[in-house]
Amino acid sequence: MTELLQKVRVIDPVSEIDELFDVLIADGYIQEVASHIADISPDTQIRDCQGLVIGPGLVDLYSHSGEPGFEERETLLSLLQSATAGGFTRVSILPDTSPAIDNPALVAQLQHKRHGEMKQREKINLAPPASPLPLLHIWGAITLDVAGKQMTELADLASAGVVGFSDGKPLENLALVRRVLEYVQPLGKPVAFWPSDRQLTANGVMREGPDALRFGLPPIPASAETSAIAAMLELVAAIGTPVHIMRVSTSRSVELIASAKAAGLPITASTTWMHLLLDTKAVKSYNTSLHLDPPLGNPSDVAALRAGVRAGVIDAIAIDHTPYSYEEKVQAFAEAPPGAIGLELALPLLWQYLVETEEFTALELWRALSISPAECLGQKVSAILPHQPAELTLFNPQETWKVERKSLYTLSQNTPWLGQQLKGHVVQTWC
């Protein structure tokens, strides 16, 4: 199919462009980008895209798949369809499945499954229409069964095609962390750690501060994160292996990372989309979808994270999509497992609360959701230029929709926005 998108707002952080253009797409490639395209074939599908936005396909650094082991939460197909509906053309899943993704056979099995789902989807034309499933990337486990004790065969996992190495859980044995940094160095794959001191976290469920006292919930001090980040940075300085720091959530963490980058340490960092939108005051509702790990920050943390993303200290916004069944989340706040879904919600809400309020430019937000996470994975995203592959997301920032079971492709509903009207919806992706 050949498509002409007329008068679409092109947001391209690769070329630093935010302008209205006509975009011609054919055979999986961008054929032409110009202020006006008139010379087209008779079979070209013409679309009036006034008011719509197109940018590079979104890239998610890390999210959780229910499959294998917890298919009632999420199957691989529902995860990928959810990602497509949210504008993502690349998704990277963490290895904390059951069994854990700690061996080459399971990596191959999941990639084969994705290929099979794509073929089946083509046959039955599953929604969202006209949009292919995203590319699936898999994080290989650092330790067997993500238990934090015995290192996996990292070289074998690298040969199997994992995107990088991460447990997605805190690794508190610093001697093991040091050994991992030494082993992964020649493999040329990213390694991602979530620095968190679980002894300092203890039984806490909410960021320490006045709101935690007011709501009567066990607190987690910021030092549970910052002390672990400081230790990680010391190891990186000593060994020199590039490291990605996941789930940054405090203002002091942003300061530590900024200082480390200024000193030339080879690190990248990410925060999650919900930590940019909500702070501890939201927990007043005791909605268990607001029980996150790390917890939502105080208002000063949110301000620092937003500034960190804009400045590039925090390289990328991750979704960290974490599905749970209704039964798992219907508990007391402190007893419910931490995590929330987000693949279908992140772009509309971030656009609504950061771009439309003019706190972020459209380029800043799109960069943090596309080219920057790709760079953290050691990948590249093409500019929106002729002869480049069409890996794109078309977004309508004005379309309204209601977050409810029938409007979501994910199997889970653990989000604080359930039942609410949102503004902004993905129209189509090309991948």
Side-chain angles (χ1 to χ4, degrees), residues 170-377:
L171 272 179
E172 295 194 78
N173 183 337
L174 290 179
L176 176 60
V177 172
R178 179 184 172 89
R179 196 159 84 250
V180 169
L181 292 179
E182 293 169 342
Y183 270 77
V184 300
Q185 201 168 55
L187 299 178
K189 296 277 187 179
V191 58
F193 293 99
W194 173 24
S196 178
D197 187 313
R198 303 319 267 180
Q199 289 184 318
L200 286 173
T201 298
N203 67 337
V205 296
M206 184 177 175
R207 175 69 66 226
E208 186 176 69
D211 288 326
L213 287 171
R214 192 174 299 119
F215 304 150
L217 292 170
I220 299 175
S223 57
E225 177 172 293
T226 57
S227 61
I229 287 179
M232 176 63 65
L233 295 175
E234 286 296 316
L235 290 177
V236 173
I239 299 169
T241 303
V243 159
H244 181 79
I245 298 175
M246 307 167 65
R247 302 188 179 116
V248 177
S249 70
T250 75
S251 58
R252 176 59 181 153
S253 299
V254 177
E255 293 174 3
L256 290 170
I257 292 165
S259 297
K261 286 189 170 187
L265 264 62
I267 58 169
T268 56
S270 60
T271 188
T272 82
W273 71 287
M274 284 183 66
H275 286 87
L276 291 173
L277 292 180
L278 301 173
D279 59 35
T280 51
K281 288 180 172 52
V283 181
K284 182 179 181 180
S285 67
Y286 296 98
N287 186 323
T288 55
S289 294
L290 296 170
H291 179 191
L292 306 178
D293 196 4
L296 294 172
N298 290 303
S300 59
D301 297 316
V302 176
L305 290 170
R306 290 181 178 184
V309 172
R310 293 193 65 198
V313 174
I314 304 298
D315 299 85
I317 301 171
I319 307 307
D320 206 8
H321 177 88
T322 309
Y324 282 106
S325 67
Y326 175 81
E327 291 75 17
E328 288 173 301
K329 276 292 192 177
V330 181
Q331 300 187 54
F333 188 91
E335 302 301 320
I341 60 171
L343 286 168
E344 295 171 69
L345 308 174
L347 178 58
L349 284 161
L350 289 168
W351 186 280
Q352 184 175 342
Y353 289 103
L354 296 182
V355 176
E356 290 200 349
T357 59
E358 298 185 350
E359 185 170 350
F360 277 49
T361 67
L363 277 171
E364 286 170 338
L365 177 62
W366 216 279
R367 178 183 296 109
L369 286 169
S370 59
I371 67 171
S372 291
E375 288 170 352
C376 291
L377 293 169

Side-chain angles (χ1 to χ4, degrees), residues 37-273:
I37 299 174
D39 186 14
I40 57 174
S41 62
D43 61 344
T44 299
Q45 178 182 336
I46 300 174
R47 298 171 66 172
D48 181 0
C49 292
Q50 292 189 65
L52 304 188
V53 168
I54 197 166
L58 306 187
V59 178
D60 185 30
L61 262 178
Y62 44 86
S63 280
H64 301 262
S65 172
E67 187 177 359
F70 301 100
E71 285 82 359
E72 71 279 4
R73 297 174 183 169
E74 196 81 281
T75 64
L76 192 61
L77 177 59
S78 67
L79 174 82
L80 294 173
Q81 288 198 133
S82 179
T84 298
F88 291 87
T89 55
R90 306 182 199 181
V91 176
S92 305
I93 61 171
L94 290 166
D96 57 343
T97 50
S98 182
I101 308 173
D102 58 6
N103 63 84
L106 192 50
V107 175
Q109 178 183 325
L110 289 172
Q111 290 289 13
H112 181 73
K113 173 84 171 176
R114 186 264 178 198
H115 182 72
E117 297 289 15
M118 188 70 181
K119 291 297 182 185
Q120 181 67 15
R121 190 171 177 274
E122 289 172 356
K123 288 180 183 178
I124 61 177
N125 195 27
L126 282 174
S131 296
L133 294 178
L135 301 173
L136 175 66
H137 299 297
I138 299 169
W139 288 96
I142 292 174
T143 64
L144 291 175
D145 202 29
V146 295
K149 295 179 180 179
Q150 184 179 348
M151 199 161 55
T152 57
E153 296 292 342
L154 300 174
D156 290 349
L157 285 169
S159 299
V162 297
V163 73
F165 305 102
S166 179
D167 272 6
K169 297 181 178 182
L171 272 179
E172 295 194 78
N173 183 337
L174 290 179
L176 176 60
V177 172
R178 179 184 172 89
R179 196 159 84 250
V180 169
L181 292 179
E182 293 169 342
Y183 270 77
V184 300
Q185 201 168 55
L187 299 178
K189 296 277 187 179
V191 58
F193 293 99
W194 173 24
S196 178
D197 187 313
R198 303 319 267 180
Q199 289 184 318
L200 286 173
T201 298
N203 67 337
V205 296
M206 184 177 175
R207 175 69 66 226
E208 186 176 69
D211 288 326
L213 287 171
R214 192 174 299 119
F215 304 150
L217 292 170
I220 299 175
S223 57
E225 177 172 293
T226 57
S227 61
I229 287 179
M232 176 63 65
L233 295 175
E234 286 296 316
L235 290 177
V236 173
I239 299 169
T241 303
V243 159
H244 181 79
I245 298 175
M246 307 167 65
R247 302 188 179 116
V248 177
S249 70
T250 75
S251 58
R252 176 59 181 153
S253 299
V254 177
E255 293 174 3
L256 290 170
I257 292 165
S259 297
K261 286 189 170 187
L265 264 62
I267 58 169
T268 56
S270 60
T271 188
T272 82
W273 71 287

